[in-house]
Amino acid sequence: MAGNKTLTMIKPDAVRDGHIGAILNQITEAGFRISAMKLTQLSTADAQAFYAVHAERPFFGELVEFMTSGPIVAAILEKDNAVEDFRTLIGATNPAEAAEGTIRARFAKSIGENAVHGSDSDENAQIEGDFHFAGREQF
Ligand code: GDP
């Protein structure tokens, strides 16, 4: 059975561009409940750990530099079938390929600076939620 939790980050590009409110509105309008949320900034070590699975990819350095370049909003979102439904809501990694009306189609600049993160599995949703939030910050 699919889990009911996913982890998102509103990435530094979207925070810089003033899109926090519009993105959170689209998320809650789509039926997700926010069960944890904070404005924070990743250190280089944080970003390297969060994206460790991509360590061998050619864009890893760029990804870490971008994700540490300014504040982000991290949030745990709850809804039935959360991981899959949220990935549908955000659209493809490359905004040029993201379906019309998706968060990345509306707000992302490029495949690297793509406005939002969404967990890719229930297992990673749990790991990523616990990466950002202590138990007492999850409601
Ligand atoms: P996601 O699950 O849709 O976020 O995509 P991936 O797991 O494949 O990649 C993780 C993140 O790495 C993406 O959201 C982008 O921010 C970044 N990324 C992926 N591909 C590229 C690329 O070709 N160039 C750069 N600079 N960043 C990339």
Side-chain angles (χ1 to χ4, degrees):
M1 201 187 98
N4 70 342
K5 192 154 80 167
T6 192
L7 183 283
T8 191
M9 295 183 287
I10 301 177
K11 296 186 179 184
D13 57 327
V15 172
R16 263 193 292 276
D17 293 345
H19 296 315
I20 294 174
I23 290 172
L24 290 177
N25 188 53
Q26 188 164 352
I27 289 170
T28 52
E29 287 286 315
F32 290 87
R33 185 181 84 85
I34 296 168
S35 62
M37 188 165 70
K38 69 171 78 163
L39 186 67
T40 184
Q41 185 161 357
L42 296 175
S43 68
T44 297
D46 291 334
Q48 286 171 338
F50 189 91
Y51 284 110
V53 64
H54 294 306
E56 303 306 320
R57 308 279 284 274
F59 58 80
F60 185 64
E62 243 174 70
L63 174 59
V64 169
E65 194 170 328
F66 165 58
M67 287 302 297
T68 57
S69 68
I72 60 161
V73 173
I76 297 174
L77 307 174
E78 290 188 358
K79 181 184 183 298
D80 288 347
N81 202 37
V83 165
E84 192 184 340
D85 285 2
F86 191 67
R87 290 190 68 92
T88 300
L89 183 69
I90 67 179
T93 307
N94 184 349
E97 294 163 10
E100 195 182 336
T102 57
I103 293 175
R104 282 170 167 165
R106 291 180 67 197
F107 300 112
K109 294 185 162 71
S110 66
I111 192 168
E113 305 206 0
N114 61 2
V116 281
H117 168 82
S119 305
D120 65 1
S121 67
D122 291 339
E123 186 190 2
N124 284 335
Q126 185 65 44
I127 292 167
E128 293 173 359
D130 292 340
F131 178 92
H132 280 291
F133 299 99
R136 66 185 160 73
E137 296 174 305
Q138 301 183 28
F139 299 93

